[in-house]
């Protein structure tokens, strides 16, 4: 259908006086004796286009006045009656699709919980329109950032036979039903599609290392799958994961890359999503724009795990889970550190090796690994990264200590046999970044169709 984006009609001063056609959904309708107003949204902009109808000359078909109805309007672009930009003086209004009164999205503000029950319609609301516009702008900015810095975009397999984190959070991929006649798991999987046990990848890192130790700088941006049994507001079973991996890089390089990526993305959102951020600042998180502006320009804090634990131990009375050296940091500790102690994003570094993955570089102290988590206010962990162990002997020892199946990692170990180099990278959860940028507190509300325990609508 030949028509203009509402965004253009709204904002292009050169269009004033010309005829135009727009299509969209009715977001509100008001009328007085002589004039009627129809606010239209077609998704192209956060602002609605005001269609003005001179009731003495044009009759608005009643079906076109209903909330949610789809209409096509021909008219003349005029300077807005109120405020900036343009309105459209209607000359003809046509119904494209009616919207009966049982349309679940009504004018009054509904709750996010209610909208979670209608994921196929909730994008018609201001909140979700804004979330998904920010999400798209951020995704484009991610590719721009890496391209600009000479990283190659690679696609790692989603179906895998190895469990990167070894945490047993993998979804299984199979084509065969369970059959009790098999005597062992191994025999069962031998008959399966791949001939071995396979699952959906929890991370593209291991394959990312393969690419980085040849191409130098790479990143992946794709889905990861985790059968997280925790029903939290920051975990999904399917999330989008940005994983850069860099050769000739040590932990400080990984930290620098993470900080500059995050700042670049925030600046892109501040610049390209002004209307959306204004909306979130008003209705979702007061002070959001100031927070983001501040974060984009100030240095992130860095603190070792050991120092973080000494700080937290003094506050143990306020935590549900008291902290001591060696314990994993829970969400309450992460939030306390970034919100109360530092008041800004903080990289926690050099965690005890027992609570981190086998592939992380072992520090000289024999107790910690060169890992880092970036913690941000309101969310906690948003990035997890590390320098990888490049020494074959140390890596093998760490894997044996964990009782891992060495045969399954032959290729990974080869990277340490043939021209091994210091390298590292991190994983950024895309949804967590969108939460941080919008102030939205539940990860289910920044995802089109969120998947979590007992939920696959
Ligand atoms: P957490 O401790 O929050 O469960 P993690 O340590 O398991 O995270 P990593 O394995 O380090 O996470 O993954 C890298 C990043 O991916 C995390 O920092 C986070 O932003 C994101 N992430 C991890 N698991 C999930 C999930 N289930 N849903 C959404 N994002 C996730
Ligand atoms: Mn992590």
């Amino acid at each position: 259908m030949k028509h203009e984006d509402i965004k253009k009609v709204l904002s292009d001063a050169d269009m004033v006086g010309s005829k135009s056609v727009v299509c969209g959904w009715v977001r509100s309708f008001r009328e007085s004796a002589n004039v009627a107003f129809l606010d239209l949204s077609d998704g192209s902009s956060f602002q609605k286009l005001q269609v003005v109808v001179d009731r003495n000359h044009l009759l608005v078909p009643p079906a076109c006045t209903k909330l949610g109805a789809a209409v096509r309007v021909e008219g003349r672009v005029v300077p807005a009656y109120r405020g900036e930009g343009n309105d459209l003086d209607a000359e003809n209004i046509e119904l494209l699709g009616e919207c009966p009164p049982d349309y679940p999205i009504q004018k009054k503000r509904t709750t996010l919980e209610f909208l979670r029950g209608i994921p196929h319609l909730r994008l018609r609301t201001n909140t979700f329109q804004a979330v998904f516009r920010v999400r798209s702008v951020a995704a484009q900015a991610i590719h721009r950032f890496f391209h600009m810095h000479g990283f190659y975009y690679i696609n790692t397999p989603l179906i895998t036979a190895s469990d990167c984190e070894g945490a047993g959070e993998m979804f299984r991929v199979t084509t065969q039903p369970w059959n009790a006649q098999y005597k062992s798991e191994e025999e069962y999987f031998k008959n399966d599609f791949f001939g071995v046990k396979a699952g959906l990848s929890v991370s593209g890192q291991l394959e990312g290392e393969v690419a980085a130790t040849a191409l130098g700088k790479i990143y992946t941006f794709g889905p990861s799958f985790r059968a997280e049994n925790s029903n939290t507001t920051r975990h999904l079973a399917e999330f989008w994961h940005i994983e850069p991996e860099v050769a000739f890089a040590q932990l400080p390089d990984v930290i620098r890359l993470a900080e500059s990526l995050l700042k670049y993305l925030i600046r892109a959102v501040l610049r390209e999503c002004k209307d959306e951020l204004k909306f979130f600042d008003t209705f979702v998180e007061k002070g959001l724009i100031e927070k983001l502006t501040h974060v984009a320009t100030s240095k992130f804090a860095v603190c070792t795990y050991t120092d973080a634990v000494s700080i937290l131990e003094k506050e143990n009375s306020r935590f549900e889970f008291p902290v001591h050296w060696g314990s994993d940091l829970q969400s309450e500790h992460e939030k306390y550190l970034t919100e109360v102690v530092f008041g800004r994003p903080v990289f926690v570094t050099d965690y005890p090796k027992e609570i981190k993955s086998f592939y992380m570089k072992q520090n000289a102290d024999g107790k910690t690994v060169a890992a880092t988590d970036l913690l941000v206010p309101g969310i906690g962990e948003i990035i997890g990264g590390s320098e990888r162990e490049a020494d074959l002997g140390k890596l093998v020892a760490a894997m044996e200590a964990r009782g891992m199946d060495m045969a399954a990692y032959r290729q990974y170990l080869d990277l340490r046999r043939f021209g091994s180099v210091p390298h590292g990278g991190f994983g950024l959860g895309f949804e967590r970044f969108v939460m941080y940028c919008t102030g939205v507190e539940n990860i289910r509300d920044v995802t089109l169709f969120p998947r979590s325990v007992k939920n696959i609508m």
Side-chain angles (χ1 to χ4, degrees), residues 259 263 291-301 343-345:
E259 181 166 344
K263 286 179 172 172
K291 172 187 94 175
L292 294 176
T293 309
H294 179 70
V295 165
T297 52
S298 57
K299 190 110 192 71
F300 293 3
R344 60 194 160 129

Side-chain angles (χ1 to χ4, degrees), residues 356 373 381 383-384:
K356 286 292 182 185
D373 281 1
E381 179 184 335
I383 282 178

Side-chain angles (χ1 to χ4, degrees), residues 306-319:
T306 302
D307 288 345
V309 167
S310 340
I311 296 168
L312 292 169
E313 269 179 328
K314 299 197 186 85
E315 307 294 332
N316 261 341
S317 57
R318 67 171 76 231
F319 300 130

Side-chain angles (χ1 to χ4, degrees), residues 97-338:
E98 66 168 352
C99 191
D102 58 342
Y103 182 49
I105 309 289
Q106 290 300 321
K107 196 80 205 150
K108 60 180 189 310
R109 278 184 75 77
T110 48
T111 65
L112 291 170
E113 287 77 15
F114 169 76
L115 292 170
R116 253 169 247 148
I118 44 169
H120 60 305
L121 293 173
R122 64 179 180 169
L123 265 68
R124 311 265 183 105
T125 64
N126 286 337
T127 306
F128 286 90
Q129 297 244 318
V131 163
F132 284 91
R133 236 175 266 117
V134 167
R135 199 177 154 125
S136 173
V137 163
Q140 302 285 351
I142 284 163
H143 287 298
R144 259 199 333 267
F145 175 89
F146 285 118
H147 182 63
M148 207 164 69
H149 289 92
F151 284 66
Y152 296 106
Y153 174 43
I154 63 152
N155 308 114
T156 51
L158 300 185
I159 301 178
T160 174
S162 74
D163 178 350
C164 174
E165 305 291 326
E169 300 170 334
M170 265 224 283
F171 287 101
R172 193 183 296 163
V173 173
T174 179
T175 51
Q176 61 178 353
W178 175 249
N179 184 328
Q181 81 190 27
Y182 294 113
K183 289 183 205 70
S184 67
E185 264 205 356
E186 199 180 34
E187 195 187 308
Y188 170 72
F189 290 121
K190 203 177 280 172
N191 230 17
D192 206 345
F193 189 91
F194 295 105
V196 289
K197 185 173 177 177
L200 293 177
S201 180
V202 298
S203 158
Q205 182 203 318
L206 300 190
E207 295 88 353
E209 288 185 50
V210 168
T213 51
L215 292 166
K217 292 184 282 188
I218 65 92
Y219 71 105
T220 70
F221 183 6
S224 283
F225 304 89
R226 295 190 185 179
E228 311 261 13
N229 218 337
S230 50
N231 224 327
T232 77
T233 52
R234 48 189 209 133
H235 288 95
L236 289 173
E238 177 181 300
F239 69 97
W240 281 67
H241 210 173
I242 298 111
E243 295 184 280
E245 189 72 32
V246 188
F248 318 111
Q250 294 172 307
L251 189 64
D253 305 303
V254 171
I255 290 176
R256 250 195 311 275
L257 178 65
E259 181 166 344
S260 65
L261 170 65
L262 228 60
K263 286 179 172 172
Y264 179 86
L265 298 182
I266 290 170
R267 281 198 301 270
V269 171
L270 280 168
R271 194 176 55 239
E272 295 178 50
C273 301
K274 290 202 168 71
D275 290 341
E276 288 77 8
L277 290 187
K278 239 179 264 162
F279 172 84
F280 291 124
D281 200 309
T282 311
F283 295 107
V284 179
E285 180 183 335
K286 295 258 179 303
L288 176 72
I289 294 175
E290 201 190 312
K291 172 187 94 175
L292 294 176
T293 309
H294 179 70
V295 165
T297 52
S298 57
K299 190 110 192 71
F300 293 3
V302 182
C303 167
T304 64
Y305 168 89
T306 302
D307 288 345
V309 167
S310 340
I311 296 168
L312 292 169
E313 269 179 328
K314 299 197 186 85
E315 307 294 332
N316 261 341
S317 57
R318 67 171 76 231
F319 300 130
E320 187 186 344
F321 303 99
V323 186
H324 57 86
W325 201 95
S327 54
D328 209 351
L329 300 184
Q330 307 282 336
S331 167
E332 55 174 346
H333 312 128
E334 294 179 344
K335 287 191 175 176
Y336 186 80
L337 278 174
T338 179

Side-chain angles (χ1 to χ4, degrees), residues 5-16 44-45 47-49 77-78 84-87 275:
D5 280 352
I6 279 177
K7 185 184 181 128
K8 182 170 164 61
V9 175
L10 262 172
S11 58
D12 187 349
D14 291 343
M15 287 189 77
V16 170
S44 63
S45 104
Q47 288 175 43
K48 285 65 187 170
L49 176 69
V77 183
V78 295
E84 288 167 35
N86 306 328
D87 285 353
D275 290 341

